Amino acid sequence: MMLCFYFLTYNICVPQLVNHGMSIEFLGKIRDISKQFFELPLEEKEKYSKTSINPDGYGTDYPKNTSPISYRLFLKIYPEEERSLDRWPKDPQNFGELLNEYGMEVQKLHDFIARAMAQSLNLEEDSFLNGYGVNSEMVLRINYYPPFADVDRARVMTRHSDASALTFLLKDREVEALEVLNDGSWFKVPIIPHAIMVIIGDQIEIMSNGIFKSVEHRIRPNLEKGRISLAMFCSPDLEKEVGPLKELVTEDCPPLYKTMKRYKDSFEQYYIKGLRPISAVKI
Ligand SMILES: O=C(O)CCC(=O)C(=O)O
Ligand SMILES: [Fe+2]
């Protein structure tokens, strides 16, 4: 496996994984089948709609009567027994099987990267993985952004960092739209075909006591073309107390973040106010 660090400026770098073991054909199938799902008639997609109690399924993040900047299919992949299988599309055929296989592959990548990150800090290789607790989560969000011309110009996906520990992002093969923030300026992330981008989420920033910083990013839709992306959010067990790893806290390096459960739950309330949830857990 190879981690290719793509430097956008001298101090901002976007890790993209290549030689990750998934074939070009497999990634092609995943992207194509996801796109086919979003191209189904609305009433077909709405068979899998999310509800107010279960976020799994098809939906948008905006109220029904406004034109959304993105549509999404949100599916919990792990823990396996928490899958809402009635929201896993039966059409296109094989979608479920492919998603299952993709989940297993991304889990391997995740464990490899989490171990490498721990080793890079001279920690035991399982330090981050142990910090996740037993029922760590993987949630897939497949995003479809219609062409810009179809949506309100002002609506760029709000800037955010991910609530996850790590996010593994399979980007569109053709449409560049992801931007990351550094020092007040936005930088476009270039496409490396078939690479999987690793996004540092808030919970790795917390566990590493600020050594790894979560990345603020946003999407600027394309004028002519729709765009597909698959974001796999890998996060600790919701019931696990997550805080700076004790190996990283010393007299000289006090904890910089509070320890808390269910970080994700508090995310939404800050996000909708335009605040960064991570700022609320800083000591
Ligand atoms: O579509 C993308 O490339 C990124 C999506 C994203 O940031 C998210 O779903 O959290
Ligand atoms: Fe994100």
Side-chain angles (χ1 to χ4, degrees):
M1 176 145 22
M2 202 162 94
L3 195 53
C4 166
F5 287 99
Y6 194 102
F7 282 86
L8 297 181
T9 69
Y10 71 94
N11 66 347
I12 180 157
C13 147
V14 179
Q16 307 220 39
L17 279 165
V18 293
N19 290 351
H20 40 55
M22 284 182 265
S23 67
I24 293 178
E25 293 73 41
F26 178 68
L27 293 183
K29 274 193 209 162
I30 290 281
R31 285 169 167 137
D32 290 347
I33 209 161
S34 301
K35 200 152 175 242
Q36 282 163 26
F37 172 77
F38 287 104
E39 284 166 356
L40 292 174
L42 187 61
E43 55 290 4
E44 278 303 308
K45 291 180 289 203
E46 284 188 337
K47 288 183 188 159
Y48 306 101
S49 287
K50 65 177 181 168
T51 62
S52 54
I53 39 172
N54 185 353
D56 275 30
Y58 172 74
T60 83
D61 290 329
Y62 292 95
K64 259 201 152 157
N65 51 358
T66 67
S67 57
I69 188 174
S70 72
Y71 298 85
R72 44 106 151 167
L73 180 66
F74 191 80
L75 297 172
K76 186 178 268 194
I77 309 285
Y78 294 121
E80 203 171 327
E81 57 280 11
E82 289 176 25
R83 290 182 182 180
S84 298
L85 289 174
D86 58 336
R87 306 296 152 78
W88 287 50
K90 313 260 175 305
D91 188 13
Q93 258 192 349
N94 300 340
F95 200 8
E97 268 163 57
L98 282 170
L99 292 179
N100 186 45
E101 193 176 340
Y102 185 67
M104 290 194 292
E105 291 296 330
V106 176
Q107 189 178 43
K108 281 191 251 167
L109 293 187
H110 170 269
D111 290 4
F112 177 87
I113 295 295
R115 291 197 170 102
M117 288 173 78
Q119 283 171 332
S120 76
L121 302 180
N122 282 331
L123 301 175
E124 291 289 331
E125 64 171 18
D126 283 344
S127 303
F128 286 120
L129 293 175
N130 292 338
Y132 280 42
V134 276
N135 285 319
S136 57
E137 273 196 349
M138 273 176 47
V139 175
L140 178 64
R141 175 173 161 152
I142 308 181
N143 297 297
Y144 174 69
Y145 305 85
F148 198 116
D150 296 356
V151 296
D152 174 353
R153 183 168 250 282
R155 291 235 209 92
V156 177
M157 183 189 204
T158 320
R159 71 190 247 190
H160 66 282
S161 54
D162 293 346
S164 61
L166 291 169
T167 304
F168 289 76
L169 183 67
L170 176 63
K171 301 201 296 306
D172 196 278
R173 206 169 2 212
E174 287 172 11
V175 184
E176 226 181 39
L178 179 66
E179 298 177 343
V180 296
L181 184 66
N182 184 242
D183 244 350
S185 306
W186 290 99
F187 295 87
K188 262 211 153 75
V189 180
I191 291 175
I192 303 182
H194 317 301
I196 308 261
M197 180 174 163
V198 184
I199 299 180
I200 307 274
D202 287 354
Q203 296 194 72
I204 281 281
E205 175 168 338
I206 296 170
M207 280 193 258
S208 71
N209 205 22
I211 297 174
F212 296 116
K213 296 274 189 281
S214 67
V215 190
E216 280 192 271
H217 51 281
R218 69 177 187 188
I219 292 295
R220 182 174 286 282
N222 187 286
L223 186 59
E224 285 111 24
K225 287 188 174 159
R227 177 178 181 273
I228 203 97
S229 71
L230 285 91
M232 187 75 84
F233 302 105
C234 304
S235 309
D237 186 334
L238 271 180
E239 297 310 326
K240 171 87 176 158
E241 297 266 7
V242 172
L245 294 181
K246 61 178 184 336
E247 305 89 308
L248 295 173
V249 174
T250 61
E251 222 165 278
D252 295 335
C253 271
L256 300 175
Y257 303 84
K258 291 179 206 155
T259 292
M260 62 180 290
K261 285 185 189 176
R262 310 185 77 90
Y263 176 76
K264 256 183 14 185
D265 287 359
S266 59
F267 192 86
E268 198 74 4
Q269 79 195 45
Y270 291 100
Y271 177 65
I272 52 182
K273 285 190 217 143
L275 300 169
R276 287 198 72 191
I278 187 124
S279 55
V281 295
K282 282 193 178 146
I283 295 179

